[in-house]
Amino acid sequence: MSRLLLKGGRLLDPSQGLDRTGDLLVENGLVAHCGDRLEAVEGAEVLDCTGAIVAPGFIDVHCHLREPGREDVETVATGARAAAAGGFTAVCAMPNTDPVTDNQAAVGFIVRQALRANAARVYPIGAISVGQKGEALAEFGEMVGAGAVAVSDDGRPVVSAQLMRTALEYARTFGIPVADHCEEPTLAHGGAMNEGIMSARLGLKGIPSEAEEIMAIRDILLARRTGGHVHLCHMSTKGSVELIRWGKERGIRVTAEVCPHHLVFTEEEVSGYNTNAKMNPPLRTAEDVAALREAVTDGTIDLVATDHAPHHYDEKEREFADAPNGIVGLETALAAVATALVVPGTLSWATLIERMAVAPARVFGLPGGSLRRGTVGDVTVFDPDVEWVVDPSRFLSKGRNTPWTGRTLRGRPRYTVVGGAVVFCASAG
């Protein structure tokens, strides 16, 4: 029997209203005890969690691991290790690989690579359409049978409303969400940043907020029509928040995520043509950031996801308009959200854990999200007060493209535990 005892930490689990100092025991991969201090447990590996918060394992439902096809910028193994270093016990891998993860064999490949990595769990997300071309539905049933936990054409919007409607109906049969990249392509075409005064001053074509919002309301209305579960990826505008709130008030099955960078940075970050501030959807205005923060606080936006998107250094060194979208985020997400929202008192630690652990498990139907007895022994232990300076050269991800380089952040993982096994230890790193 394998035993892991986490001693003396602040046990913080919003799923059961738990907030107390105590011990957590994991036996044979499952939580066996959570609460009172234990004097001794025979044969147990002991982790000192004094001064740290012990939480259900964080789950990132939106990351790009690039394998197969771009193993030069990331692999399932390097992504899983980077996730563990960031305190994530599980991640969901988007299907915009090469070839696209749109069939049973491709999903099975991701599952096998994740098992070999022996780090954070990796759950594949299958494509909505064959080849992500937006023409014909992929075979959802076969992909779910092979291990897919959702479907998405992320990286590309589902342009056809009819295809999106059919996808929601079909996915409902398997009890999985349809995660959509909300972007009206004719409005967004050629855009490199948020449309506004800043884009005009820099001479860059902008992407208006309506490009996101038009597709968001379309998806919400289609979810109402079909009864399907639509999950809106990487929301970035005040208008999208208002639309999500409208849908939830009417009982529509809509959930949504926001990324740390959209909670922290505005379009001002693009000044100087900083390609590490180029992403899709783009960084928006201070008013949008304020609305997103409020939405995370009140639960209108269900969860925080990284949209981890590694690129090779040379790719980001192009002119701004030609550089690829995206940044890495697995190893900075916890600290970025904590520094921007928890430290100033906007968000409590319990709410952060709800948005990064409990809600992701609930929304995507994944194991974890709780420290209740009998649940899977996936645990994130982090030091809430540790300050550190972001140095991308120390990332376990292959990607170095981050806007947080050189910034001081607060909060850092101490241990990451998956199924009762320690897959990351800060002192060992």
Side-chain angles (χ1 to χ4, degrees):
M1 176 180 287
S2 64
R3 290 188 174 100
L4 179 69
L5 179 61
L6 295 88
K7 288 194 66 68
R10 178 184 174 189
L11 304 170
L12 190 47
D13 179 9
S15 76
Q16 52 182 326
L18 177 67
D19 186 356
R20 60 172 295 184
T21 300
D23 295 347
L24 178 75
L25 176 65
V26 181
E27 290 184 343
N28 291 334
L30 301 177
V31 175
H33 172 89
C34 180
D36 296 336
R37 290 181 180 269
L38 299 175
E39 291 303 318
V41 178
E42 184 179 351
E45 177 185 358
V46 179
L47 301 180
D48 180 9
C49 299
T50 305
I53 292 176
V54 179
F58 292 169
I59 300 172
D60 180 18
V61 302
H62 186 150
C63 69
H64 301 270
L65 301 186
R66 304 304 192 200
E67 185 180 13
R70 286 302 308 272
E71 291 84 356
D72 57 318
V73 294
E74 197 75 288
T75 65
V76 171
T78 60
R81 288 194 288 269
F88 290 100
T89 57
V91 297
C92 297
M94 284 295 179
N96 57 335
T97 49
D98 184 15
V100 172
T101 306
D102 62 0
N103 58 73
Q104 183 179 18
V107 169
F109 171 78
I110 303 297
V111 171
R112 291 191 298 274
Q113 293 298 89
L115 290 173
R116 292 190 185 102
N118 196 31
R121 303 178 193 271
V122 179
Y123 298 107
I125 293 179
I128 292 172
S129 63
V130 176
Q132 289 190 305
K133 295 179 180 178
E135 297 169 355
L137 282 186
E139 181 46 67
F140 293 4
E142 291 183 357
M143 291 191 294
V144 169
V149 298
V151 290
S152 179
D153 272 359
D154 183 66
R156 298 181 181 180
V158 179
V159 178
S160 166
Q162 180 58 43
L163 187 73
M164 188 63 181
R165 174 181 177 170
T166 306
L168 284 163
E169 291 170 340
Y170 194 23
R172 185 180 177 187
T173 305
F174 302 101
I176 58 170
V178 178
D180 196 23
H181 173 117
C182 294
E183 179 184 4
E184 204 294 310
T186 61
L187 283 176
H189 180 70
M193 65 172 296
N194 182 54
E195 182 179 292
I197 295 173
M198 176 65 73
S199 63
R201 180 156 63 83
L202 294 175
L204 294 169
K205 188 176 187 306
I207 301 173
S209 56
E210 288 80 6
E212 174 175 298
E213 294 156 9
I214 286 170
M215 296 299 256
I217 190 59
R218 181 205 71 172
D219 288 352
I220 292 169
L221 293 173
L222 289 174
R224 181 175 68 176
R225 167 63 61 180
T226 63
H229 174 187
V230 68
H231 179 76
L232 306 182
C233 297
H234 43 50
M235 293 288 94
S236 71
T237 77
K238 179 181 178 181
S240 292
V241 169
E242 293 169 349
L243 294 170
I244 295 162
R245 192 171 284 126
W246 179 90
K248 289 192 169 187
E249 288 170 350
R250 284 154 181 78
I252 299 169
R253 296 185 66 197
V254 54
T255 55
E257 69 190 36
V258 65
C259 302
H261 44 271
H262 288 122
L263 291 170
V264 175
F265 298 118
T266 70
E267 60 187 354
E268 297 291 329
E269 197 70 17
V270 178
S271 297
Y273 302 95
N274 175 16
T275 57
N276 282 329
K278 186 184 182 191
M279 51 207 65
N280 189 17
L283 299 175
R284 303 287 188 179
T285 67
E287 185 179 17
D288 293 311
V289 171
L292 292 167
R293 290 185 177 192
E294 181 183 356
V296 168
T297 302
D298 67 21
T300 300
I301 288 181
D302 302 81
L303 56 93
V304 174
T306 70
D307 196 9
H308 175 80
H311 293 288
H312 192 272
Y313 173 81
D314 291 342
E315 294 175 308
K316 278 290 190 177
E317 285 298 298
R318 301 173 188 169
E319 289 190 13
F320 191 90
D322 297 327
N325 293 304
I327 60 171
V328 292
L330 287 169
E331 292 167 83
T332 54
L334 166 61
V337 177
T339 304
L341 278 77
V342 179
V343 173
T346 303
L347 207 67
S348 68
W349 283 116
T351 305
L352 179 145
I353 293 166
E354 166 69 30
R355 304 289 180 261
M356 297 186 70
V358 182
R362 180 179 66 249
V363 170
F364 275 61
L366 303 175
S370 179
L371 298 179
R372 292 181 186 274
R373 183 175 181 178
T375 58
V376 66
D378 291 0
V379 187
T380 299
V381 182
F382 64 93
D383 293 295
D385 298 319
V386 168
E387 291 190 342
W388 58 289
V389 177
V390 178
D391 178 3
S393 68
R394 298 178 65 86
F395 285 172
L396 297 190
S397 168
K398 289 187 178 184
R400 303 288 182 263
N401 47 306
T402 174
W404 275 281
T405 300
R407 298 176 192 259
T408 299
L409 300 178
R410 186 184 295 185
R412 201 166 195 184
R414 186 187 295 186
Y415 305 111
T416 305
V417 177
V418 175
V422 180
V423 295
F424 173 79
C425 174
S427 61

